[in-house]
Amino acid sequence: MSMNEIESRAASLIEGIIMTPVDAETQLIDSGLVDSLSAVDVTLAVEREFGVKIPPSEIDVHLQSVQTLAQFIQARVHA
């Protein structure tokens, strides 16, 4: 799976949860688009969609943007 495909799928998941369009560079947590409740929803959706678990202590790191989330997913999917 390519990085672009992962980014696209991750963006779609996030958009479905926060009901706002996002792109790869959109700051999710710093902008307030993703709060603690929606972060849990995103984490569960990523696990369902990609089979990748985000450790609770690392959620804020990997949900900074779609791009950082996609990089995390790609590293775990291809590991």
Side-chain angles (χ1 to χ4, degrees):
M1 184 177 323
S2 74
M3 180 60 91
N4 285 340
E5 185 178 1
I6 294 171
E7 281 183 3
S8 177
R9 289 173 61 185
S12 293
L13 287 175
I14 293 167
E15 289 171 357
I17 292 166
I18 66 171
M19 307 305 283
T20 301
V22 295
D23 60 34
E25 289 83 31
T26 301
Q27 293 298 302
L28 301 173
I29 293 176
D30 289 346
S31 68
L33 289 172
V34 173
D35 60 16
S36 59
L37 293 176
S38 56
V40 171
D41 291 338
V42 170
T43 300
L44 293 172
V46 165
E47 188 174 341
R48 280 192 308 272
E49 180 77 15
F50 298 99
V52 173
K53 280 192 168 198
I54 301 173
S57 62
E58 298 177 13
I59 289 173
D60 60 331
V61 174
H62 301 303
L63 292 185
Q64 286 301 312
S65 68
V66 173
Q67 188 174 46
T68 59
L69 178 59
Q71 290 168 350
F72 174 78
I73 292 168
Q74 186 177 48
R76 296 302 184 275
V77 167
H78 297 306

